[in-house]
Amino acid sequence: MSQTSNLSPTTELEWTEAGRPHPHESAVLHVCGNANYTDDLPELQGTLHAALGLSAQAHAVIGNMNLERVRQVPGVVAVFTAADFPGDNQCGPIIRDDPILAAEKVHYAGQPLFAVVAQTHEQARRAARLADITYHPLPAVLHAREADAAGSYVLPPMHLQRGNPETALEQAPLRLRGQWQVGGQEQFYLEGQIAYAIPAEGEGMHVVCSTQHPSEMQHVIARALGLASHAVRVECRRMGGGFGGKESQSALWAGVATLCAHHLRRPVKLRADRDDDMLVTGKRHDFHYDYDIGFNADGRILAARIGMIARAGFSADLSGPVATRAVCHVDNAYYLSDVDIRAVCARTNTQSNTAFRGFGGPQGAILIEYVIDEIARQLDMDPLDVRTHNFYGRNDDEGRNITHYGQKVADNVIHELVAELESSSDYRQRRTAIAAFNATSPVLKKGLALTPHKFGIAFNVTHLNQAGALVHVYLDGSVSVNHGGTEMGQGLHTKVAQVVAHELGIPLSAVRVSATDTDKIANTSATAASTGADLNGKAAQDAARQIRQKLAQLAASRFGGMPDQVRFHAGTVVCNEQRCSFLELIQHAYLARVQLWSDGFYATPDLHWNGNTMTGHPFSYYAYGAAVSEVIVDTLTGEWKLLRADILYDAGQSLNPAIDQGQIEGAFIQGMGWLTTEELVWNSQGKLTTHAPSTYKIPAISDCPADFRVKLFANRNVTDSIHRSKAVGEPPLLLPFSVFFAIRDAIASVSVHRRSPPLTAPATAESILRAIHAMHTSE
Ligand code: MTE
Ligand code: LUZ
Ligand code: MOS
């Protein structure tokens, strides 16, 4: 599928386990089916299985909950409701507005009301359908604009202003106003939500679950059961994908499984089937925009007034930081001098929307790309030229390098990166060739687009930017690492192991990362915001460095010379022109009673944020990228295909170019699904009707372009990140903006005028056809 990438090892590193394209640490286990996910663990004797009973109504007071028929199903052991929590029935990650099991009222169709525990998974699922529940319906608000009109929000509105947007808008020679929207997206991790709760001694609890945030699970469970945190141990070896959907919303499943296990003192597993998973959990926020833009004849944006409505769903969950990230990404790669941005989190009677790869960043950035696409059509310019006219200034261009929230862009490479991609992708020649093709092809139309991105790296909630690690060196020279990050397929454990191997000068095969475990590292942050390797890599480096320093002192005392001149290299220790193996030094250290394990800690420096003024320095650095996509659209059916995609991504000095390439490809295809085929549909009663792969279409391998060229941009982080690398998890999700705008470009070609196709996201085949129809009818 993929072709080239610059896999050359980094030059500056003298020992290169970091920076090399090592395979994922579990690659062999993955392909052999031997990697253990939570549901693969051997079940303990006496294990019971739980299922959830879900609300049939979107908004109602719960009348009578008759669970007799549920209890009578053969195999059923117990039924639990909100009243059974000894502690706090609450899983809201920031604000406590999120019950684990609904009490008194239901706020969306699909909200869990009770849990039934049975001998088998199948029995529990069947029983859960048999409840007799009466509801006293309340008016349900299902649409974001409806909630906005009613002023119904889950959080106070946000506002950011810079310069004098009113005057700048009035004085701008040209003006563009409108509304637009992008849809939500289901995370569709292949492994669904699951928790396995095992009672431990006393009232203790050991919970194995699929979560990006073991510490948060520990806290939710401890509060729900009225226990101290030290009584609850949460463990996760790996997830079969999280994509943000297991950052906060694994808590409901962990909370319910543990509630059942607590009362029954037996192990209880709660595994969501796909329909329940999609009906219960929140998704990417759909966004609804109002924009008013002032610009000039060169296509330069002079002023912008932007309103964003994020559909939060029934509770706050992570909507606050999601909306903040959206506000901080409406600039994407462009300098916006005078802006007025408002963002609200609309309260609707639907699932509580949550983190999803990009975390509001894509929803912020795509709006300005849409605006630029509109400006280009209005001025009859190539959209790429409008883009480059609006880029942030180069780093020495004082005045055009401060973001609307006040952070200086000190690492801008977008000019060079886009120039390189424009040339390597033959953008201009292909533009001409496509125009010629379209002129002679009445039904099939091609389209082309290049879109850039700039993505801020760090949790925008400053205190979350911390991490811890433990490194243990054993007497056979093997090394065990544990850190607060979780593995969801993104290759975090591989990268952290590479950092430790590099630090100790040993081969990667000598290092193993063990399961994330709240008994090992306390008070961890979610593995999110693409910061997994930045934070945990630095923490593990800190731990490994402390061990290396002790070993260096020992080597110097044995061989002479200075400790800081001791070299650890390829399993060998070189000191004062003498050498011994790492293993010999370890054994010597043990006999000399030197500590061979250490903890490590890292807190990202120089971050601050004022939530009231929405200004500060929320990001450690920016990751840049750009993509060129070429599509072909069948104007009679609305079907289309991505023919070729060229990507250039700035991973700084990549920790692992092979893993980064996989992340870029995966994010690109996932983002393409969001903007094209993935459509969430709720019926007029507020029930999600697209709750299985039969009705919700994620991309398949056949949707990947036959010609897919992914390259890493030669760069080095100016910020002191781990080995000067840059994050890669989320930013490439913005690259398939180019697919959406290429489709729009193809549609525009059916009209001789350069008019704007009315196209919102997702651009499903139906909406593509509607846009084509509109182009014909209004000609
Ligand atoms: N890659 C895989 N294979 N599976 C995932 O669930 N999640 C993404 C990204 N890449 C994800 C993934 C998201 S939402 C984030 S925030 C990052 O990985 C988290 O990991 P990192 O910080 O270690 O990059
Ligand atoms: N901020 C952010 C967050 O930028 N990304 C996240 O994933 C996140 N999660 C929780 C709180 N703030
Ligand atoms: Mo990723 S959305 O920050 O889990």
Side-chain angles (χ1 to χ4, degrees):
M1 175 173 76
S2 57
Q3 301 188 344
T4 50
S5 92
N6 45 346
L7 300 181
S8 58
T10 50
T11 46
E12 131 167 333
L13 303 169
E14 61 185 59
W15 169 250
T16 55
E17 283 302 61
R20 286 178 48 192
H22 284 288
H24 191 285
E25 47 68 31
S26 294
V28 173
L29 299 178
H30 288 157
V31 295
C32 297
N34 288 333
N36 281 337
Y37 296 84
T38 300
D39 203 31
D40 297 321
L41 296 177
E43 281 171 11
L44 291 168
Q45 200 171 5
T47 293
L48 297 169
H49 299 266
L52 296 172
L54 309 184
S55 166
Q57 299 221 357
H59 196 199
V61 174
I62 303 166
N64 184 36
M65 241 171 46
N66 182 347
L67 302 172
E68 271 323 299
R69 285 175 64 213
V70 179
R71 287 202 176 85
Q72 278 160 18
V73 171
V76 167
V77 176
V79 179
F80 299 106
T81 66
D84 294 307
F85 284 94
D88 215 359
N89 171 24
Q90 187 51 239
C91 59
I94 300 174
I95 292 178
R96 299 156 82 62
D97 61 353
D98 224 328
I100 299 173
L101 293 174
E104 289 155 36
K105 273 188 191 176
V106 288
H107 297 277
Y108 69 99
Q111 184 169 11
L113 284 161
F114 65 91
V116 48
V117 188
Q119 302 290 348
T120 71
H121 177 74
E122 227 20 68
Q123 288 166 341
R125 282 189 60 199
R126 283 176 198 287
R129 305 280 182 272
L130 299 177
D132 276 322
I133 299 169
T134 55
Y135 302 90
H136 307 296
L138 297 166
V141 175
L142 302 177
H143 302 288
R145 289 224 181 248
E146 206 186 324
D148 182 51
S152 178
Y153 307 123
V154 296
L155 292 164
M158 299 176 184
H159 184 214
L160 186 162
Q161 188 176 327
R162 172 167 73 177
N164 200 337
E166 272 324 300
T167 322
L169 275 173
E170 276 161 27
Q171 292 174 353
L174 296 160
R175 200 76 178 259
L176 189 70
R177 295 187 186 87
Q179 293 194 331
W180 199 55
Q181 67 184 57
V182 295
Q185 186 181 21
E186 162 62 33
Q187 287 84 1
F188 225 106
Y189 26 68
L190 293 184
E191 177 209 32
Q193 301 276 2
I194 180 165
Y196 186 30
I198 304 156
E201 261 188 358
E203 286 202 306
M205 206 46 84
H206 177 197
V207 182
V208 183
C209 65
S210 187
T211 181
Q212 294 172 243
H213 203 344
S215 282
E216 174 79 1
M217 300 309 104
Q218 178 193 30
H219 299 151
V220 166
I221 291 165
R223 279 202 319 256
L225 299 185
L227 300 175
S229 289
H230 66 211
V232 180
R233 173 181 171 207
V234 175
E235 194 187 347
C236 177
R237 169 60 185 93
R238 62 169 65 76
M239 284 161 274
F243 303 112
K246 295 169 182 171
E247 179 170 341
S248 61
Q249 299 208 0
S250 44
L252 188 147
W253 313 87
V256 168
T258 318
L259 173 75
C260 302
H262 175 79
H263 286 294
L264 298 169
R265 299 317 296 175
R266 284 173 71 176
V268 175
K269 186 188 278 187
L270 174 60
R271 184 185 82 217
D273 69 284
R274 183 64 59 181
D275 302 77
D276 283 357
D277 196 315
M278 288 185 76
L279 287 167
V280 171
T281 62
K283 300 143 207 330
R284 183 189 294 286
H285 297 65
D286 45 312
F287 267 58
H288 306 260
Y289 314 92
D290 294 273
Y291 59 86
D292 185 352
I293 310 290
F295 61 103
N296 68 15
D298 296 334
R300 190 172 264 200
I301 297 171
L302 305 173
R305 192 194 296 126
I306 292 166
M308 298 194 280
I309 309 166
R311 180 161 62 145
F314 84 98
S315 70
D317 187 82
L318 300 170
S319 296
V322 166
T324 303
R325 186 170 278 275
V327 168
C328 292
H329 282 78
V330 286
D331 57 337
N332 195 16
Y334 312 112
Y335 176 68
L336 303 176
S337 57
D338 297 78
V339 293
D340 182 293
I341 304 167
R342 283 168 203 275
V344 293
C345 298
R347 184 193 296 278
T348 55
N349 294 108
T350 50
Q351 293 78 0
S352 187
N353 285 331
T354 189
F356 192 145
R357 206 170 196 172
F359 203 76
Q363 293 99 314
I366 197 169
L367 191 256
I368 202 73
E369 293 301 341
Y370 178 78
V371 162
I372 287 189
D373 203 57
E374 289 284 286
I375 292 175
R377 281 174 215 295
Q378 200 159 318
L379 297 176
D380 201 11
M381 286 172 70
D382 189 310
L384 178 55
D385 296 323
V386 181
R387 293 193 158 96
T388 53
H389 289 179
N390 282 288
F391 279 161
Y392 275 104
R394 292 166 203 273
N395 299 324
D396 54 3
D397 181 359
E398 294 295 334
R400 281 184 68 83
N401 60 10
I402 308 286
T403 62
H404 52 302
Y405 48 90
Q407 177 161 346
K408 185 172 174 178
V409 182
D411 54 13
N412 192 3
V413 294
I414 202 66
H415 298 267
E416 296 81 357
L417 189 150
V418 165
E420 184 179 329
L421 182 68
E422 179 184 341
S423 144
S424 67
S425 68
D426 293 323
Y427 177 85
R428 302 283 171 183
Q429 295 89 317
R430 285 162 68 200
R431 171 71 70 207
T432 313
I434 285 170
F437 173 90
N438 287 343
T440 59
S441 175
V443 172
L444 298 179
K445 297 286 186 186
K446 289 188 180 177
L448 185 74
L450 184 157
T451 58
H453 76 71
K454 160 181 138 287
F455 194 89
I457 301 299
F459 282 97
N460 60 11
V461 174
T462 299
H463 73 265
L464 298 178
N465 294 286
Q466 57 174 309
L470 287 174
V471 173
H472 293 183
V473 178
Y474 297 107
L475 295 186
D476 62 354
S478 69
V479 174
S480 169
V481 182
N482 193 275
H483 61 85
T486 54
E487 178 63 42
M488 56 194 102
Q490 85 280 37
L492 174 60
H493 286 352
T494 312
K495 288 182 172 180
V496 173
Q498 286 177 268
V499 167
V500 170
H502 173 83
E503 215 55 41
L504 298 177
I506 54 177
L508 183 60
S509 56
V511 183
R512 185 184 170 104
V513 179
S514 55
T516 319
D517 186 336
T518 56
D519 267 8
K520 293 198 169 145
I521 311 291
N523 314 325
T524 56
S525 292
T527 307
S530 306
T531 59
D534 288 24
L535 297 174
N536 297 287
K538 277 278 193 184
Q541 182 184 52
D542 178 40
R545 241 175 218 176
Q546 293 181 48
I547 299 167
R548 195 188 64 187
Q549 275 158 7
K550 291 204 176 76
L551 290 174
Q553 267 163 11
L554 181 73
S557 71
R558 187 175 175 191
F559 298 120
M562 301 301 292
D564 60 1
Q565 282 164 355
V566 179
R567 291 281 161 264
F568 292 78
H569 180 87
T572 305
V573 182
V574 184
C575 175
N576 200 21
E577 310 209 335
Q578 300 178 65
R579 53 181 61 222
C580 71
S581 71
F582 182 74
L583 182 59
E584 274 175 80
L585 188 61
I586 291 303
Q587 289 167 346
H588 185 66
Y590 174 69
L591 296 176
R593 295 185 288 177
V594 171
Q595 183 178 339
L596 284 172
W597 57 272
S598 178
D599 61 351
F601 185 76
Y602 181 70
T604 316
D606 305 323
L607 301 176
H608 56 92
W609 179 247
N610 180 332
N612 295 320
T613 58
M614 300 199 86
T615 56
H617 190 104
F619 303 122
S620 179
Y621 59 88
Y622 297 98
Y624 301 84
V628 177
S629 293
E630 179 176 341
V631 301
I632 189 159
V633 175
D634 181 334
T635 57
L636 295 180
T637 65
E639 290 168 294
W640 60 279
K641 200 165 175 50
L642 175 60
L643 297 173
R644 170 173 165 186
D646 294 58
I647 294 173
L648 191 54
Y649 183 79
D650 164 29
Q653 200 162 251
S654 169
L655 278 176
N656 185 320
I659 282 175
D660 286 357
Q661 183 174 335
Q663 284 291 293
I664 295 162
E665 290 170 354
F668 181 86
I669 298 297
Q670 189 167 44
M672 181 176 91
W674 169 46
L675 295 171
T676 58
T677 61
E678 296 182 37
E679 187 175 34
L680 294 161
V681 179
W682 285 265
N683 69 16
S684 58
Q685 270 71 56
K687 189 182 180 220
L688 179 68
T689 57
T690 48
H691 50 76
S694 50
T695 44
Y696 185 79
K697 168 110 183 56
I698 63 169
I701 193 74
S702 53
D703 295 310
C704 297
D707 194 352
F708 201 3
R709 309 183 191 196
V710 177
K711 248 191 103 186
L712 298 181
F713 181 67
N715 199 19
R716 177 173 191 279
N717 200 340
V718 296
T719 300
D720 177 26
S721 62
I722 185 72
H723 291 290
R724 302 276 170 178
S725 66
K726 288 193 181 185
V728 72
E730 297 168 287
L733 192 125
L734 284 73
L735 295 169
F737 290 4
S738 56
V739 175
F740 180 86
F741 291 108
I743 291 173
R744 197 159 188 250
D745 185 51
I747 298 171
S749 73
V750 308
S751 158
V752 280
H753 313 289
R754 285 194 74 78
R755 288 188 307 101
S756 292
L759 189 69
T760 55
T764 58
E766 295 92 323
S767 61
I768 290 172
L769 262 191
R770 274 195 299 272
I772 292 167
H773 186 71
M775 297 298 279
H776 285 311
T777 51
S778 57
E779 236 165 56

